[in-house]
Amino acid sequence: MDKRVLITGCSRGIGRGVALCLAKAGYKIVCNARRKSDELEYLKAELGENFSAELIFDVSDTMAAKEQITMDIEQNGAYYAVVLNAGIIADNTFVALSDDEWKGVINVNLHSFYNVLHPALMPMIRLKRPGRIVAISSVSGVIGNRGQSNYAASKGGLDAAIKSLAIELASRNITVNSIACGVIQTDMTSEINEDFIKFAVPARRAGRVDEVSGVVEFLLSDSASYITRQVIGVNGGLC
């Protein structure tokens, strides 16, 4: 298999799990991270021969994303799939939100849709072969959540953009889907009280990273070629 997959924010958490899962399935992984780190080096070592390239840029930086992605495609070829995973939170009640908390979350979680996909998409289309786009979203974008108006807006906007792009690309055999995650065991959710999880989540537990990465792997497979324009919940029944 020579299918290259770009994964944003892949040095830890869900992104790391997706990278390892897809590498095990035979995909060649293009790793994006905002900065070089020990975590990224460990991941590259674990990927072994299925590591394809390293792209260091902030997904909220339009020019940096364009330059890095264009250079990689020119040198190594277009992507079979892009997994939009990079995301941040800055929780606060709306009246207490600062400009930076609002704009920072929107810039990373929503503007990255354009910044990453815009330079990657035409090379994918020109190959005239199947392709896949998957966004890692959140139940907050579907049902909202107290203290997360910025995060919910970014993820709800992401889901809407995914659905619109899916319509444009369906005839080109490129599927576009979103995964709305609930509480998944990562650094981002480490401070959530376990009793609250048992109360709020019907499954009475947090989800595992492999339960998300397994859905990504399926969506990239041939078996998912007729699944597009969907927001798929991986949330233990939270919504």
Side-chain angles (χ1 to χ4, degrees):
M1 182 187 294
D2 61 354
K3 294 179 177 178
R4 303 178 70 231
V5 180
L6 169 62
I7 305 172
T8 64
C10 72
S11 61
R12 60 181 183 171
I14 291 175
R16 176 184 177 83
V18 170
L20 293 171
C21 176
L22 296 183
K24 186 176 181 179
Y27 295 96
K28 304 300 181 183
I29 308 302
V30 180
C31 298
N32 158 257
R34 185 172 57 177
R35 62 175 66 91
K36 290 182 177 292
S37 65
D38 290 341
E39 290 86 356
L40 182 59
E41 292 304 313
Y42 297 148
L43 173 61
K44 288 161 55 179
E46 287 185 75
L47 294 174
E49 62 181 11
N50 286 317
F51 168 72
S52 178
E54 171 188 278
L55 306 184
I56 305 299
F57 64 85
D58 188 328
V59 295
S60 67
D61 187 328
T62 305
M63 290 308 299
K66 181 177 180 179
E67 290 172 1
Q68 289 284 312
I69 291 171
T70 300
M71 179 179 64
D72 179 50
I73 291 173
E74 289 175 349
Q75 293 177 352
N76 302 302
Y79 307 129
Y80 165 70
V82 177
V83 180
L84 299 169
N85 168 75
I88 62 171
I89 59 173
D91 292 354
N92 212 337
T93 59
F94 182 76
V95 294
L97 274 176
S98 67
D99 289 349
D100 288 343
E101 287 171 335
W102 176 264
K103 293 177 182 178
V105 170
I106 298 294
N107 285 341
V108 172
N109 297 358
L110 180 55
H111 289 175
S112 60
F113 173 88
Y114 175 87
N115 295 342
V116 173
L117 290 181
H118 202 260
L121 197 51
M122 278 309 301
M124 183 186 295
I125 291 172
R126 291 191 188 105
L127 287 180
K128 296 182 178 179
R129 70 180 187 187
R132 303 284 188 265
I133 295 168
V134 178
I136 304 300
S137 188
S138 170
V139 295
S140 288
V142 179
I143 61 175
N145 192 24
R146 185 183 187 280
Q148 289 194 323
S149 57
N150 52 356
Y151 187 68
S154 70
K155 293 300 188 179
L158 177 62
D159 291 342
I162 284 290
K163 290 183 178 182
S164 297
L165 184 60
I167 298 171
E168 298 179 17
L169 297 180
S171 64
R172 298 182 181 274
N173 205 15
I174 298 174
T175 66
V176 189
N177 294 288
S178 179
I179 298 175
C181 296
V183 182
I184 307 298
Q185 293 172 339
T186 66
D187 292 344
M188 188 179 289
T189 61
S190 60
E191 295 183 4
I192 298 179
N193 184 277
E194 186 174 341
D195 290 335
F196 172 79
I197 293 174
K198 290 181 178 180
F199 169 77
V201 181
R204 298 181 60 82
R205 67 173 178 85
R208 303 188 307 272
V209 168
D210 67 280
E211 292 173 314
V212 179
S213 60
V215 178
V216 177
E217 181 185 354
F218 171 70
L219 289 174
L220 265 59
S221 71
D222 293 340
S223 297
S225 60
Y226 201 56
I227 299 174
T228 195
R229 203 184 176 195
Q230 303 303 304
V231 177
I232 299 169
V234 180
N235 53 50
L238 188 56
C239 74

